[in-house]
């Protein structure tokens, strides 16, 4: 059984194979190519795992899940934090052709419900230490509205649960791997999104494996790489750019951190002689502040490369990185939908500090469109349009949204506003999509607006971004209500609906009406300007 998805046209698929991008290998090859190695692949707290151990654990879990009746073509909803088991589960599911959605640990009921209703999972793997699974209330509800769900496996299991730890430790003599074919869906990546329901991105073995291998080449990852994974492990950036998968591919070592704060990361960097890590801009600010305050430069001595991406990095902050943290900066402009751009390791200061890098593949086709979809000349700002060997061709089960997100030639319009330099570097100038980028965490305005509109005292609402010195952007909800509404009440309401904490509006403005554009849509540009003007006078 295969999972349906929008395929690349045969002519392009043939080209990607011919040029060696698509190797027709399963993603499990990333680990199994090192299966005999005693080299340490992964460190989680005081638990080191060799490549052999990691591969063996994934193998045993795969066998156990296969015995429980899971089959190629099934899907799974997985929610685990930055723990070794995240990778064991990921590779185990790939081995048996079960395609997971890896939800972030910060996600709550709304997000999990939305993913479950789209993929109709046969399996749930979750953590009893997550608030949603502290008791069985949510599980029962999920089982009810998700009849496809046949099996639930728990990390930190309660009595009576099927325990992940137990499945990881059972024998695997009878196991025959059944990964999905390399040009079929391996797993679903999460879209930052701009729509009411969070969209899913089908990623095939072929396209994702290429994106990892090419990232490894561009970023120079190898056996000596010691990568600190401080962002959520499931996110596309620390998973594949080159991230943990790139480190495994190169035979290096991944060290897990619980969060990207300086107090969590600096001791790990020193203890494990970390050479590279991936951050979002707000974490960079906090690291710079910590170095200034604590004078702890020495702790970072092993760090050679700091990747920064996920949101706009100001030139001023960029320039401080080599000077104050003593390492190279690499800007990363990527998206879970595919396209990833890197500044090069030997770029001059201007390219490193002022651009967001260039597309990593010679076959990434990137151009800038005006509002009518016509190409703009070099240097002008417009819509990013792209297609290529690792950029998806359609969101899962979303024909209407796909019709708007792709042009007739299959170019994906990411909603970013960019310009491209004469030498092919991308400068991110802004965004057209209705999304708030809260320090790298993406909030689809419509998703929160729809939830707020369910409140019986709210008539109209618009969620917009407002500038923030640390996070870059925060969210503000403009509300037309039947009565005055306080921010705490709104947040409590959203929390009760089960929304991830980072999506709660940072500020609430109750207004008599919302400004409209000439065509009658809410004029968010004006609302953002109003906020900016108010911030200036505060
Ligand atoms: C400005 N905006 C950026 C940057 C992403 C590597 C790195 C990041 C992501 C990611 C990723 C930006 N400057 N350097 O998946 O593999 C904004 C853009 C983009 C959106 C994608 C990877 N880097 N962005 O952030 O799917 O708006 O992926 O379209 O979460 O983040 O978000 P996401």
């Amino acid at each position: 059984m295969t999972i349906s998805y929008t395929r690349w046209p045969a002519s392009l698929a043939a080209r990607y194979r011919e040029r060696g991008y698509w190797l027709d290998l399963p993603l499990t090859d990333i680990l199994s190519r090192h299966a005999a190695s005693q080299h340490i692949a992964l460190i989680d707290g005081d638990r080191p795992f060799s490549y052999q151990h990691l591969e063996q654990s994934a193998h045993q879990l795969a066998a156990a899940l296969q015995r429980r009746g899971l089959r190629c073509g099934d899907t799974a909803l997985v929610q685990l934090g930055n723990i070794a088991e995240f990778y064991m589960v990921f590779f185990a599911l790939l081995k048996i052709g079960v395609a997971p959605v890896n939800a972030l640990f910060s996600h709550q009921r709304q997000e999990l419900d939305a993913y479950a209703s789209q993929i109709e999972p046969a399996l749930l793997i979750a953590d009893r230490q997550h608030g949603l699974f502290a008791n069985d209330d949510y599980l029962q509800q999920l089982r009810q509205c998700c009849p496809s769900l046949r099996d639930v496996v728990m990390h930190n299991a309660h009595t009576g649960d099927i325990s992940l730890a137990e499945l990881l430790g059972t024998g695997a003599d009878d196991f025959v791997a059944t990964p999905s074919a390399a040009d079929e869906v391996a797993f679903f990546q999460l879209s930052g999104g701009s729509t009411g329901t969070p969209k899913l991105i089908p990623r095939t073995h072929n396209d994702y494996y290429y994106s990892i291998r090419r990232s490894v080449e561009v970023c120079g990852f190898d056996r000596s790489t010691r990568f600190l994974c401080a962002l959520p492990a499931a996110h596309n950036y620390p998973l594949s750019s080159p991230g943990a998968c790139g480190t495994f591919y190169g035979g290096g070592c991944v060290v897990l951190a619980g969060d990207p704060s300086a107090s969590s990361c600096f001791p790990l960097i020193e203890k494990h002689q970390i050479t590279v890590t991936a951050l979002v801009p707000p974490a960079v600010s906090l690291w710079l502040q910590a170095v200034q305050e604590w004078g702890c430069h020495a702790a970072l001595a092993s760090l050679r490369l700091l990747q920064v991406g996920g949101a706009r990095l100001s030139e001023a902050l960029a320039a401080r990185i080599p000077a104050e943290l003593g390492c190279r900066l690499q800007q990363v402009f990527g998206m879970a939908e595919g396209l990833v751009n890197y500044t090069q390791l030997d770029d001059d200061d201007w390219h490193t500090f002022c651009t967001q890098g260039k597309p990593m593949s010679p076959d990434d086709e990137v151009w800038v469109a005006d509002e009518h979809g016509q190409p703009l000349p070099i240097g002008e700002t417009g819509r990013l349009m792209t297609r290529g060997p690792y950029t998806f061709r359609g969101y899962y089960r979303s024909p209407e949204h796909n019709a708007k997100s792709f042009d007739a030639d299959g170019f994906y319009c990411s909603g970013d506003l960019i310009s491209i330099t004469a030498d092919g570097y991308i400068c991110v100038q802004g965004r057209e999509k209705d999304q708030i980028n809260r320090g790298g965490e993406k909030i689809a305005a419509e998703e929160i607006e729809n939830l707020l509109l369910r409140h019986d005292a709210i008539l109209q609402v618009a969620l917009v971004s407002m500038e923030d010195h640390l996070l870059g952007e925060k969210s503000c909800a403009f509300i037309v209500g039947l009565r005055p509404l306080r921010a705490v009440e709104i947040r409590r309401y959203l929390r009760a609906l089960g929304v991830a904490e980072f999506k709660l509006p940072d500020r609430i403005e109750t207004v008599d009406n919302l400004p409209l554009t000439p065509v009658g849509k809410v004029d968010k540009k004006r609302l953002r300007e109003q906020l900016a003007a108010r911030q200036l006078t505060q």
Side-chain angles (χ1 to χ4, degrees):
M1 206 175 84
T2 57
I3 294 166
S4 70
Y5 77 102
T6 319
R7 288 165 196 273
W8 283 260
S11 57
L12 282 178
R15 175 151 89 200
Y16 299 154
R17 283 199 170 87
E18 213 169 90
R19 303 204 168 169
Y21 306 147
W22 290 5
L23 296 182
D24 287 311
L25 287 171
L27 281 171
T28 49
D29 184 64
I30 292 170
L31 274 193
S32 57
R33 66 201 293 269
H34 305 291
S37 167
Q38 296 301 329
H39 195 72
I40 298 299
L42 179 62
I43 301 177
D44 172 4
D46 55 7
R47 299 188 300 160
F49 299 90
S50 67
Y51 275 93
Q52 194 182 43
H53 188 166
L54 192 57
E55 168 71 3
Q56 184 66 16
S57 302
H59 185 85
Q60 293 184 171
L61 177 60
L65 292 171
Q66 195 175 63
R67 277 196 300 272
R68 298 186 64 78
L70 286 144
R71 291 287 172 266
C72 183
D74 283 340
T75 61
L77 181 59
V78 177
Q79 187 184 42
L80 295 171
N82 284 22
I83 53 173
E85 286 77 2
F86 169 80
Y87 302 106
M88 295 169 185
V89 166
F90 184 55
F91 284 101
L93 293 174
L94 291 172
K95 277 175 190 283
I96 53 172
V98 174
V101 166
N102 297 313
L104 302 181
F105 207 68
S106 57
H107 285 152
Q108 299 290 344
R109 214 171 55 219
Q110 286 292 335
E111 290 85 10
L112 298 195
D113 281 351
Y115 299 141
S117 70
Q118 291 177 73
I119 62 163
E120 302 176 69
L123 170 70
L124 169 75
I125 301 187
D127 189 340
R128 281 289 186 191
Q129 280 179 358
H130 189 287
L132 264 184
F133 300 101
N135 60 36
D136 284 347
D137 293 355
Y138 178 62
L139 259 183
Q140 270 169 15
Q141 189 192 317
L142 194 63
R143 280 185 194 282
Q144 256 169 24
C145 59
C146 195
S148 59
L149 192 60
R150 302 196 300 266
D151 213 2
V152 173
V153 174
M154 285 291 178
H155 181 53
N156 294 310
H158 291 171
T159 336
D161 289 342
I162 307 294
S163 149
L164 178 59
E166 252 170 57
L167 298 191
L168 280 163
T170 46
D173 297 343
D174 51 341
F175 179 65
V176 180
T178 58
S180 50
D183 56 0
E184 300 294 339
V185 178
F187 75 112
F188 297 93
Q189 198 43 279
L190 311 176
S191 155
S194 55
T195 52
T197 9
K199 296 277 179 281
L200 291 169
I201 303 155
R203 300 293 307 246
T204 65
H205 298 267
N206 271 339
D207 88 76
Y208 210 66
Y209 202 0
Y210 172 56
S211 138
I212 292 164
R213 290 193 321 274
R214 182 64 191 137
S215 293
V216 164
E217 260 170 34
V218 172
C219 305
F221 277 32
D222 60 21
R223 233 179 101 87
S224 69
T225 297
R226 302 181 66 79
F227 175 75
L228 183 74
C229 178
L231 297 174
H235 191 274
N236 196 52
Y237 172 27
L239 188 63
S240 69
S241 297
C245 284
T247 308
F248 294 145
Y249 176 75
C253 176
V254 175
V255 177
L256 289 169
D259 64 76
S261 67
S263 56
S264 294
C265 293
F266 287 13
L268 289 171
I269 293 174
E270 191 168 18
K271 181 170 177 198
H272 298 294
Q273 293 294 290
I274 296 300
T275 59
V276 50
T277 189
L279 290 183
V280 287
V284 175
S285 301
L286 297 175
W287 281 32
L288 288 166
Q289 202 182 325
V291 166
Q292 269 186 351
E293 282 171 15
W294 309 342
C296 49
H297 215 131
L300 304 183
S302 60
L303 195 65
R304 290 202 285 266
L305 181 66
L306 182 62
Q307 298 183 294
V308 184
R312 205 187 92 82
L313 177 69
S314 70
E315 183 188 343
L317 207 56
R320 289 178 60 193
I321 291 171
E324 296 176 41
L325 299 179
C327 58
R328 259 213 86 81
L329 160 69
Q330 178 178 51
Q331 295 213 36
V332 190
F333 166 42
M335 53 200 74
E337 284 81 356
L339 180 71
V340 180
N341 308 273
Y342 293 106
T343 56
Q344 310 299 292
L345 298 183
D346 56 0
D347 270 342
D348 58 25
D349 282 355
W350 185 83
H351 286 88
T352 307
F353 300 155
C354 305
T355 80
Q356 279 62 59
K358 60 180 182 187
M360 67 169 158
S361 169
D363 272 80
D364 280 323
E365 299 173 72
V366 184
W367 55 281
V368 182
D370 68 13
E371 65 270 30
H372 309 295
Q374 296 305 309
L376 283 167
I378 282 181
E380 286 195 26
T381 296
R383 296 173 174 159
L384 187 164
M385 306 294 295
T386 188
R387 68 178 188 190
Y390 61 98
T391 294
F392 83 139
R393 307 286 299 205
Y395 291 102
Y396 187 56
R397 292 186 176 171
S398 309
E400 278 165 34
H401 189 54
N402 288 338
K404 286 186 251 164
S405 308
F406 291 82
D407 76 2
D409 299 314
F411 282 89
Y412 168 60
C413 177
S414 75
D416 293 301
L417 298 173
I418 60 159
S419 58
I420 305 184
T421 64
D423 57 356
Y425 281 68
I426 290 180
C427 301
V428 180
Q429 307 286 2
R431 195 183 323 125
E432 200 180 35
K433 55 189 161 191
D434 198 4
Q435 184 188 75
I436 292 122
N437 189 335
R438 195 176 184 276
E441 293 188 301
K442 318 298 185 315
I443 306 165
E446 194 185 322
E447 184 187 348
I448 300 305
E449 288 163 0
N450 286 348
L451 293 173
L452 287 172
L453 285 172
R454 279 157 53 179
H455 190 291
D456 54 15
I458 295 179
L459 293 173
Q460 287 175 54
V461 59
L463 193 77
V464 297
S465 64
M466 57 181 184
E467 242 180 76
D468 180 74
H469 73 282
L470 179 63
L471 292 173
E473 293 173 24
K474 279 186 171 177
S475 65
C476 174
F478 283 88
I479 290 177
V480 181
L482 283 172
R483 59 177 167 81
L485 289 154
R486 288 172 24 141
V488 275
E489 182 184 348
I490 299 295
R491 286 202 202 96
R492 201 179 311 130
Y493 167 76
L494 285 175
R495 240 184 235 121
L497 285 180
V499 183
E501 198 72 17
F502 70 85
K503 295 182 186 170
L504 304 184
D506 294 289
R507 177 164 164 171
I508 310 279
E509 290 283 330
T510 39
V511 288
D512 294 334
N513 50 56
L514 295 172
L516 298 179
T517 63
V519 289
K521 291 208 294 187
V522 174
D523 191 346
K524 291 199 169 181
K525 190 159 166 262
R526 229 168 95 208
L527 291 173
R528 283 193 292 270
E529 284 164 3
Q530 278 176 22
L531 274 175
R534 232 173 286 175
Q535 278 179 319
L536 274 181
T537 57
Q538 271 172 5

